[in-house]
Every structure is written in C-alpha cells, then in structure tokens.
Amino acid sequence: MSEEGTFRCGFVSVVGRPNAGKSLLVNALVAEKVSIVTSAPQTTRNRILGVVNRPQAQLVLVDTPGIHKPLSRMNQQMMQFVRQALQERDLVLFLVDASVDFGKGDEFAVELLRQYRVKALLALNKIDLIRKTRLLPLMDRYAKLYDFEEIIPLSALTGEGLEDLMEAVISRLPVSAPLFPPDIYTDQPERFLAAEMIREKVILHTREELPYATAVRIEDLEEAEQLTRIRATIVVEKNSQKPIVIGAEGSRIKQIGIEARRDLERLFPPHVFLDLHVRVEPQWRNKAAAVAALDYRGDANQQ
C-alpha cells in the first residue's frame, strides 16, 4: 500500500465518439468485463462504472455512450448521461479513434469539452492500426483545438500505452481514501449485467439488420446454489424484426442463448437456465417508460 496521505482516488469520465473503443479500454483497465463490446456504434447506452484498484490509487472509470447528435428519446437520454459524466468527475479521458479521419463529429465532441471546460487527457486509440507517421499531425491538430493535460497514444486492444495512461491519470487525481472496497469492480446490479450480456449477443448476431432497434429486459431471475434461472425478453420495434432475431426454425435465438449462457455462467456459476422470448413494442426508443428502464440507477430498475 502507498504511504498514508498519498493515496489517490477519483472519478474519471471516459468520453468520445461512437466506436472510439471506450468500453474496450475500460474493460482492459479494470481487467474484468464491465461493458459489452461490439463493432456496432452506440453499443453503450448507459453510464457504467468500472473500478481499477492499484496499490497507490483507485480509479472509478465512468464508461459513457458515444458522443452524437440525438434524434430519438433514447439517444437524448444517452447524451444526458454523457453530459452528467462531464459535470461529475475529477478528470476526463477523451478517447479518439486514431485510425479514422477527423470529421464534423469530432469537432462536435471537442466543442462539448469546451462547453464544460473540463480537465482532460487525450488518448489516441487504435495506434496498432495506423502508421506512426500519422500520429504527430493528429496530435498537433488536437493540441490546437483544446488545452489537453497530456496526449497519450495507445491501443486498448493490444495494451500498448496503457501503463503510460495509468500514470498520467493517477498523477492528476486528488489525494483521497478509496471510494469502493478492493473486491468491487463495478456498481452494476446483476440483473443489468445479465441483460447486457444477452444484448451483446443479440447485437453480434443481428448488427447488419438491427443495429440499434433492440433492448433486453430481465423478467425473472432466480438464483440457487446449482442452477440460476433467467427469463428475458428481447424487445424489437417492428413485426418484421421479430423473425430476424428468431431466425429460421429458431436457429438464431438458439445461438444467441447458447453464447449468452456461457457468459452468464461466469456471473452465476455453476449453471444457468436461460429462457429467451421476443416481443414487439413499436417505437419503444421514443417511449419515456421504456427508455427510463435502461437506466439501472433510475427508479424503473429498482427491484
């Protein structure tokens, strides 16, 4: 342990454009699967805490939805989560996909930082996908746009640069006692984790056809020593989407269930019985109650 009075702890909001790699980075730093990860944009719909414990520090990472211009009620709530994360933090980690060209969406994201005048580190992610000669011009461009504390190239996938990032973050956190016990790595309730594990498999199997139109609700969860029973509903917006999730003779929903159960059995060992159903709820992304239920800290999910 570090010497008394030198331990550091604080909230670090991880923000950036969709597909910048925020969830992959949080999972890599926490060394646990805190957030689901897919190649579909806007996979993260909530603000999710991941706790990193080091001998000299505790980082409370806040994974957020990708910064975008909201069109539906759900997207508006997602951006509200981002704004809250920018307000309620000790430090912001602004993550950029270094492998894609700078565009209007990046300008919009930087402007959001300016609005809140945040203390921020810039992390240029996915450097394993680019030539090193691309880095300096990109670093120079962002340095002219915002007064970042430090700019750190890294790869959340390979781990390159992660220790440099940790040192930069820890040195800028306030001296404080830890906020969470050392055996806690997230604040997410088990029902939310279970729903997200199932939703990840739904996205992986339907992302070409249904990239944003699904949600998962845990209807019942009964834990026992040898077997946990979970009944869940996959919600879609249109009648035409239901057979896409189910697949020919139930083949797709069966595969979703097999893969989800493998992940769920790590959360609820030793065995899980998973019962999946599909329900059509037209325009659920624009219904206040349906969108509120996505926030596991809100009243809609208190059970």
Side-chain angles (χ1 to χ4, degrees):
M1 293 293 291
S2 61
E3 296 179 8
E4 186 176 354
T6 64
F7 193 89
R8 294 179 180 272
C9 179
F11 286 87
V12 182
S13 294
V14 184
V15 303
R17 296 273 294 138
N19 265 357
K22 298 180 295 297
S23 296
L24 185 61
L25 177 62
V26 169
N27 290 344
L29 294 176
V30 176
E32 292 284 356
K33 191 166 187 176
V34 175
S35 296
I36 64 174
V37 178
T38 79
S39 60
Q42 301 174 7
T43 296
T44 301
R45 292 175 174 170
N46 217 309
R47 54 219 151 126
I48 296 170
L49 297 190
V51 182
V52 181
N53 288 293
R54 291 292 179 93
Q56 76 278 27
Q58 183 181 81
L59 287 66
V60 185
L61 302 175
V62 184
D63 189 12
T64 62
I67 296 172
H68 62 286
K69 293 185 178 180
L71 299 177
S72 66
R73 186 184 289 270
M74 183 187 75
N75 292 92
Q76 291 169 5
Q77 176 170 287
M78 288 163 65
M79 279 304 296
Q80 183 58 32
F81 292 152
V82 175
R83 294 180 184 278
Q84 288 173 351
L86 288 171
Q87 290 175 300
E88 303 165 4
R89 78 292 175 268
D90 296 290
L91 183 67
V92 167
L93 179 56
F94 184 65
L95 197 65
V96 168
D97 182 348
S99 70
V100 299
D101 293 334
F102 186 93
K104 291 188 179 296
D106 301 289
E107 292 178 1
F108 177 73
V110 173
E111 180 56 35
L112 202 60
L113 298 184
R114 293 197 193 100
Q115 287 179 26
Y116 291 94
R117 300 178 181 178
V118 299
K119 178 181 178 182
L121 295 170
L122 172 63
L124 298 177
N125 191 26
K126 305 187 185 181
I127 61 170
D128 53 305
L129 301 179
I130 65 171
R131 295 177 181 271
K132 302 305 183 192
T133 52
R134 182 186 173 97
L135 271 177
L136 285 179
L138 191 59
M139 294 169 71
D140 184 62
R141 180 165 202 165
Y142 274 98
K144 291 175 180 176
L145 290 173
Y146 195 81
D147 186 18
F148 290 101
E149 295 277 314
E150 192 172 336
I151 299 176
I152 303 160
L154 59 84
S155 169
L157 182 63
T158 68
E160 183 180 357
L162 293 192
E163 280 306 310
D164 292 337
L165 176 66
M166 286 292 293
E167 291 178 11
V169 170
I170 290 171
S171 68
R172 290 170 172 84
L173 292 181
V175 174
S176 170
L179 297 170
F180 291 89
D183 59 338
I184 296 295
Y185 69 88
T186 184
D187 70 334
Q188 299 171 70
E190 290 181 337
R191 294 176 78 97
F192 178 82
L193 284 167
E196 288 290 271
M197 287 178 177
I198 298 166
R199 187 167 69 90
E200 179 183 60
K201 306 310 178 188
V202 174
I203 293 173
L204 289 173
H205 284 277
T206 66
R207 58 189 167 198
E208 299 300 326
E209 299 147 297
L210 307 176
Y212 314 116
T214 58
V216 174
R217 294 180 189 147
I218 303 299
E219 309 291 356
D220 193 38
L221 194 157
E222 297 179 6
E223 286 190 69
E225 186 174 342
Q226 291 300 318
L227 180 68
T228 296
R229 295 179 179 273
I230 300 173
R231 182 166 56 88
T233 298
I234 301 169
V235 179
V236 296
E237 290 186 311
K238 300 176 181 179
N239 289 323
S240 61
Q241 295 169 343
K242 186 173 181 179
I244 292 174
V245 176
I246 295 173
E249 299 182 350
S251 59
R252 180 171 280 170
I253 196 169
K254 180 180 179 181
Q255 191 60 33
I256 289 169
I258 290 171
E259 293 178 15
R261 190 171 64 249
R262 289 174 188 151
D263 283 357
L264 288 165
E265 286 180 344
R266 291 197 288 270
L267 184 63
F268 304 102
H271 301 295
V272 168
F273 174 79
L274 178 60
D275 184 18
L276 291 179
H277 300 269
V278 184
R279 184 166 66 226
V280 179
E281 291 188 14
Q283 297 298 314
W284 70 263
R285 285 182 291 176
N286 278 309
K287 293 181 178 179
V291 171
L294 296 176
D295 183 4
Y296 67 89
R297 293 183 179 84
D299 292 339
N301 262 8
Q302 298 304 316
Q303 309 228 4

